[in-house]
Amino acid sequence: MSKPFATQDFDALDTFDMDDEFVDPAAPPRPTLSFAPMSDAVAVTEAAIGEAYNPVGKLVAETETAGAAAGATPAVPDEILSAELTPYEPAGLPVTSSGAVEVSIPRIAVHVFAERQDTLAAAERAGQDRRMARATTQIRIGGVAAAIEAYQSEPTPPLIVVESMKDARTLLAEIDQLAEVCDAGTKVVIIGAANDILLFRELMRRGVSEYLVAPVQALQLISAIGGLFADPAQPFVGRSIAFVGARGGAGASAVAHNTAYAMSERIGVNTVIVDYDLPFGTAGLDFNQDPLGGVADALNQPDRLDATLLDRMMVRCTDKLSLFAAPATLDADWDIQPDAFEEVTSRIRSTAPFVVLDLPHLWSGWMRKTLISADEVVIVATPDLASLRNAKNMIDLIKQGRPNDAPPRLVLNQVGVPGRPEIPAKDFGAALGVHPSLIIPFDAKVFGSAANNGQMIVDAGAKTKAAEAFETLAQIVSRRELPTAPVKGRPAAPTGASAKKSGSILASLFSKKR
């Protein structure tokens, strides 16, 4: 007796039954089986089927249109039911780059039963991916038959991924057997050989949550899993861009702040700067702002953060740039729980499309986790041996923790200091295996003047090479182009506190001591 996962009304898809083509009429009727409810699976529309799952959708659409015009019911081609099918590319949902897959996988157990070696390798890479960090993945050799045998004696997890390179007739029979040993609510993803819209529809009718065509890639599998467990009620999540210095004094904070400012003011995207250097953060100084409790208050009470409280803790520098400043004081030891940094970052990401993380030059568990979990990492280095060694260690660690992502971006800062021997940028990049995304020339006058006045380079020296460099870096990390016309609402001069309190930064510092 089957154990259906959920009762489902499939009348809308009952125009034909693939089983009718090969089931013995004298045999007893097969029980209606379904896996997880289709309402929890990927929403399927005619347009989505044609675009996302069937590269030959145009041909299928024309065939169905012609059949409908003739008043005929679509027939299942005999070769689909009996032929030994071969893999068809491309597989499943298209994934163009690592940046195109930004999903959040909940704390679930995922069991993978693969037949092909490349599928096993892809599943292993997916299980090690940062997006799957909260999930528990078990990978086993064998397809649907192995899954059926395993679940005879053990409960099924929330998600099963099974691979079958068999023909459609055998695949459907195996799916029926799998449904009999699975628990209610289990979602099933099938990796098969046939890129056929009719087979896809029949699998969906049986309650299968997703169908991918082999060979599959790690990011493709992650995208499919994320789509199944996406919560529409979850708030928007912006991209996090982490800036870290290869050594102290490399200027990572200045690069982070100026890049964020260029993103907000030149490109026109809402951006939040989070200064995680609690005792020595310079975000308040660079923007000529008196830092509030900001980051420290948020880290001390991450569970209480909501949209209203976050808005109170942030300082609005411009219409599109907000600042989570560090307290920059030594009055406390700042013994913060490592999980608090992840929680606060997650909450802040719901407030803006881009969140720039200004990370301190230290090493700890939360630093490692933040670098690996960030959507993009920018390492700022100076052209010297210490920076080269530290940058290599960071890049190697981040590559290992993010096997399916692009390597971190490298920015060479303070290049061309008079009288200082330097490692050429070409040799620096060759030693790391990562060529610099940007080289920022040394300009003591512009940087010093901007820092002392609490201004950004884009305003203090708009026509300098450094300003051009920050605008370029802003385009790189945001993946946006500079608008051809001025951004609506952007003032021609520094805004907010930067304009009103220009020159008062030293006074504000001394007033805090009195």
Side-chain angles (χ1 to χ4, degrees), residues 369-413:
K369 195 169 185 178
T370 300
L371 288 173
I372 291 177
S373 61
D375 295 322
E376 186 149 12
V377 178
V378 180
I379 297 176
V380 181
T382 51
D384 54 62
L385 188 59
S387 284
L388 178 61
R389 180 201 63 185
N390 296 348
K392 179 172 176 54
N393 290 338
M394 287 184 179
I395 290 174
D396 290 346
L397 181 138
I398 294 171
K399 281 184 176 180
Q400 182 180 1
R402 300 157 58 95
N404 301 313
D405 290 86
R409 298 191 184 276
L410 175 65
V411 172
L412 275 182
N413 192 27

Coordinates of all heavy atoms in Angstrom, one line a residue, residues 369-413:
K369 N 34.5 33.2 9.5 CA 33.2 32.9 9.1 C 32.6 34.1 8.3 O 31.9 33.9 7.3 CB 32.3 32.7 10.3 CG 31.0 32.0 10.0 CD 30.3 31.6 11.3 CE 29.0 30.8 11.0 NZ 28.4 30.3 12.2
T370 N 32.9 35.3 8.6 CA 32.4 36.5 7.9 C 33.0 36.5 6.5 O 32.3 36.8 5.5 CB 32.7 37.8 8.7 OG1 32.1 37.7 10.0 CG2 32.2 39.0 7.9
L371 N 34.3 36.3 6.4 CA 34.9 36.3 5.1 C 34.4 35.2 4.2 O 34.1 35.4 3.0 CB 36.4 36.2 5.2 CG 37.2 37.4 5.8 CD1 38.6 37.0 6.0 CD2 37.1 38.6 4.9
I372 N 34.1 34.0 4.7 CA 33.7 32.9 3.9 C 32.2 33.1 3.5 O 31.8 32.7 2.4 CB 33.9 31.6 4.6 CG1 35.4 31.3 4.7 CG2 33.2 30.4 3.9 CD1 35.7 30.1 5.5
S373 N 31.4 33.7 4.3 CA 30.0 33.8 4.1 C 29.6 35.1 3.3 O 28.5 35.1 2.8 CB 29.2 33.8 5.4 OG 29.6 34.9 6.2
A374 N 30.5 36.0 3.1 CA 30.2 37.2 2.4 C 30.0 36.9 0.9 O 30.6 36.0 0.4 CB 31.4 38.2 2.6
D375 N 29.2 37.7 0.3 CA 28.9 37.5 -1.1 C 30.1 37.9 -2.0 O 30.3 37.3 -3.0 CB 27.7 38.4 -1.6 CG 26.4 37.9 -0.9 OD1 26.2 36.7 -0.8 OD2 25.6 38.8 -0.6
E376 N 30.9 38.8 -1.5 CA 32.1 39.2 -2.2 C 33.2 39.7 -1.2 O 32.8 40.3 -0.2 CB 31.8 40.3 -3.2 CG 33.0 40.6 -4.1 CD 32.6 41.1 -5.5 OE1 31.5 41.4 -5.7 OE2 33.5 41.2 -6.4
V377 N 34.4 39.3 -1.5 CA 35.5 39.7 -0.6 C 36.5 40.5 -1.3 O 36.9 40.1 -2.4 CB 36.2 38.4 0.0 CG1 37.4 38.8 0.9 CG2 35.2 37.6 0.8
V378 N 37.0 41.6 -0.7 CA 38.0 42.5 -1.3 C 39.1 42.6 -0.3 O 39.0 43.0 0.8 CB 37.4 43.9 -1.6 CG1 38.5 44.8 -2.2 CG2 36.2 43.8 -2.6
I379 N 40.3 42.1 -0.8 CA 41.5 42.2 0.1 C 42.3 43.4 -0.4 O 42.7 43.5 -1.6 CB 42.3 40.9 0.0 CG1 41.5 39.7 0.5 CG2 43.6 41.0 0.7 CD1 42.2 38.3 0.3
V380 N 42.6 44.3 0.5 CA 43.4 45.5 0.2 C 44.8 45.2 0.7 O 45.0 44.9 1.9 CB 42.8 46.7 0.9 CG1 43.6 47.9 0.6 CG2 41.3 46.9 0.4
A381 N 45.8 45.4 -0.1 CA 47.2 45.1 0.2 C 48.1 46.3 -0.3 O 47.7 47.0 -1.2 CB 47.6 43.8 -0.4
T382 N 49.2 46.4 0.3 CA 50.2 47.3 -0.2 C 51.3 46.5 -0.8 O 51.5 45.3 -0.5 CB 50.8 48.1 1.0 OG1 51.2 47.3 2.0 CG2 49.8 49.1 1.5
P383 N 52.1 47.0 -1.8 CA 53.0 46.2 -2.6 C 54.3 45.9 -1.8 O 55.4 46.3 -2.2 CB 53.3 47.1 -3.8 CG 53.1 48.5 -3.3 CD 52.0 48.4 -2.3
D384 N 54.2 45.2 -0.7 CA 55.4 44.7 0.1 C 55.3 43.3 0.4 O 54.2 42.6 0.2 CB 55.5 45.6 1.3 CG 54.2 45.6 2.2 OD1 53.8 44.6 2.7 OD2 53.6 46.7 2.3
L385 N 56.3 42.7 1.0 CA 56.4 41.3 1.2 C 55.4 40.8 2.3 O 54.8 39.8 2.2 CB 57.8 40.9 1.7 CG 58.1 39.4 1.8 CD1 57.9 38.7 0.5 CD2 59.6 39.2 2.2
A386 N 55.2 41.6 3.4 CA 54.3 41.2 4.4 C 52.9 41.1 3.9 O 52.1 40.2 4.2 CB 54.4 42.2 5.6
S387 N 52.5 42.1 3.1 CA 51.1 42.0 2.5 C 51.0 40.8 1.5 O 50.0 40.2 1.5 CB 50.9 43.3 1.7 OG 50.6 44.4 2.6
L388 N 52.1 40.5 0.8 CA 52.1 39.4 -0.1 C 51.8 38.1 0.6 O 51.0 37.3 0.2 CB 53.4 39.4 -0.9 CG 53.5 38.2 -1.9 CD1 52.4 38.3 -3.0 CD2 54.9 38.2 -2.6
R389 N 52.6 37.9 1.7 CA 52.4 36.7 2.5 C 51.0 36.6 3.1 O 50.3 35.5 3.0 CB 53.5 36.6 3.6 CG 53.4 35.4 4.5 CD 54.0 35.6 5.8 NE 53.3 36.7 6.6 CZ 53.8 37.1 7.8 NH1 54.9 36.6 8.3 NH2 53.1 38.1 8.4
N390 N 50.6 37.6 3.7 CA 49.2 37.6 4.4 C 48.1 37.5 3.4 O 47.1 36.8 3.6 CB 49.0 38.9 5.2 CG 50.0 39.0 6.4 OD1 50.7 38.0 6.7 ND2 50.1 40.1 7.0
A391 N 48.2 38.2 2.3 CA 47.2 38.1 1.2 C 47.1 36.7 0.7 O 46.0 36.2 0.4 CB 47.5 39.1 0.1
K392 N 48.2 36.0 0.5 CA 48.2 34.6 0.0 C 47.5 33.7 1.0 O 46.7 32.9 0.6 CB 49.6 34.2 -0.3 CG 49.7 32.7 -0.8 CD 51.1 32.3 -1.2 CE 51.1 30.9 -1.7 NZ 50.1 30.5 -2.7
N393 N 47.8 33.9 2.3 CA 47.2 33.0 3.3 C 45.7 33.2 3.3 O 44.9 32.3 3.4 CB 47.8 33.3 4.7 CG 49.2 32.9 4.8 OD1 49.6 32.0 4.1 ND2 49.9 33.4 5.8
M394 N 45.2 34.5 3.2 CA 43.8 34.8 3.1 C 43.1 34.2 1.9 O 42.1 33.6 2.0 CB 43.6 36.3 3.2 CG 43.9 37.0 4.5 SD 43.5 38.7 4.4 CE 43.8 39.2 6.1
I395 N 43.8 34.4 0.7 CA 43.2 33.9 -0.5 C 43.1 32.4 -0.5 O 42.0 31.9 -0.9 CB 44.0 34.5 -1.7 CG1 43.8 36.0 -1.9 CG2 43.6 33.8 -3.0 CD1 44.7 36.6 -2.9
D396 N 44.1 31.8 -0.1 CA 44.1 30.3 0.0 C 42.9 29.8 0.9 O 42.2 28.9 0.6 CB 45.4 29.7 0.5 CG 46.5 29.9 -0.6 OD1 46.2 30.2 -1.7 OD2 47.7 29.8 -0.2
L397 N 42.8 30.4 2.1 CA 41.8 30.0 3.0 C 40.4 30.3 2.4 O 39.5 29.5 2.5 CB 41.9 30.7 4.3 CG 40.9 30.4 5.4 CD1 41.6 30.2 6.8 CD2 39.8 31.4 5.5
I398 N 40.2 31.4 1.8 CA 38.9 31.8 1.3 C 38.5 30.9 0.1 O 37.4 30.5 0.0 CB 38.8 33.3 0.9 CG1 39.0 34.2 2.2 CG2 37.6 33.6 0.2 CD1 39.2 35.6 1.9
K399 N 39.5 30.6 -0.7 CA 39.2 29.7 -1.9 C 38.8 28.3 -1.4 O 37.9 27.7 -1.9 CB 40.5 29.6 -2.7 CG 40.7 30.7 -3.7 CD 41.9 30.4 -4.6 CE 42.1 31.5 -5.6 NZ 43.3 31.2 -6.4
Q400 N 39.4 27.9 -0.3 CA 39.1 26.6 0.2 C 37.7 26.6 0.8 O 37.0 25.6 0.7 CB 40.1 26.2 1.3 CG 39.9 24.8 1.9 CD 40.9 24.4 2.9 OE1 41.8 25.2 3.2 NE2 40.8 23.2 3.5
G401 N 37.3 27.6 1.5 CA 36.0 27.7 2.1 C 34.9 28.1 1.1 O 33.7 28.0 1.4
R402 N 35.3 28.6 -0.1 CA 34.3 29.0 -1.1 C 34.6 28.4 -2.4 O 35.0 29.1 -3.4 CB 34.3 30.5 -1.2 CG 33.9 31.3 0.1 CD 34.5 32.7 0.1 NE 34.0 33.5 -1.0 CZ 33.0 34.3 -1.0 NH1 32.3 34.4 0.1 NH2 32.6 35.0 -2.0
P403 N 34.6 27.0 -2.5 CA 35.0 26.4 -3.7 C 34.2 26.7 -5.0 O 34.8 26.5 -6.1 CB 34.9 24.9 -3.4 CG 33.9 24.8 -2.3 CD 34.0 26.1 -1.6
N404 N 33.0 27.1 -4.9 CA 32.2 27.4 -6.0 C 32.1 28.9 -6.4 O 31.3 29.2 -7.2 CB 30.8 26.8 -5.8 CG 30.8 25.3 -5.5 OD1 31.5 24.6 -6.2 ND2 30.1 24.9 -4.5
D405 N 32.8 29.7 -5.6 CA 32.8 31.1 -5.9 C 34.0 31.6 -6.6 O 35.1 30.9 -6.5 CB 32.6 31.9 -4.5 CG 31.2 31.7 -3.9 OD1 31.1 30.7 -3.2 OD2 30.4 32.5 -4.2
A406 N 33.9 32.8 -7.2 CA 35.1 33.4 -7.7 C 36.1 33.8 -6.6 O 35.7 34.0 -5.5 CB 34.7 34.7 -8.5
P407 N 37.4 33.8 -6.9 CA 38.3 34.1 -5.8 C 38.2 35.6 -5.4 O 37.5 36.4 -6.0 CB 39.7 34.0 -6.5 CG 39.4 34.1 -8.0 CD 38.0 33.6 -8.2
P408 N 38.7 35.9 -4.2 CA 38.6 37.3 -3.7 C 39.2 38.3 -4.7 O 40.1 37.9 -5.4 CB 39.3 37.3 -2.4 CG 39.4 35.8 -2.0 CD 39.4 35.1 -3.3
R409 N 38.7 39.5 -4.6 CA 39.3 40.6 -5.4 C 40.5 41.2 -4.7 O 40.4 41.3 -3.4 CB 38.3 41.6 -5.7 CG 37.1 41.1 -6.5 CD 36.2 42.3 -7.1 NE 35.1 41.7 -7.8 CZ 35.1 41.3 -9.0 NH1 36.2 41.4 -9.7 NH2 34.0 40.9 -9.6
L410 N 41.5 41.5 -5.4 CA 42.7 42.1 -4.8 C 42.8 43.5 -5.3 O 42.7 43.9 -6.4 CB 43.9 41.3 -5.3 CG 45.3 41.9 -4.9 CD1 45.5 41.8 -3.3 CD2 46.4 41.1 -5.5
V411 N 43.0 44.4 -4.3 CA 43.2 45.9 -4.5 C 44.6 46.2 -4.0 O 44.9 46.0 -2.8 CB 42.1 46.7 -3.9 CG1 42.5 48.2 -4.0 CG2 40.8 46.4 -4.5
L412 N 45.4 46.7 -4.9 CA 46.8 47.2 -4.4 C 46.6 48.7 -4.1 O 46.3 49.5 -5.0 CB 47.8 47.0 -5.5 CG 48.5 45.6 -5.5 CD1 49.5 45.5 -6.6 CD2 49.1 45.3 -4.2
N413 N 46.9 49.1 -2.9 CA 46.8 50.4 -2.4 C 48.1 51.0 -2.1 O 49.1 50.3 -1.9 CB 45.9 50.5 -1.2 CG 45.4 51.9 -0.8 OD1 45.3 52.7 -1.7 ND2 45.2 52.1 0.5

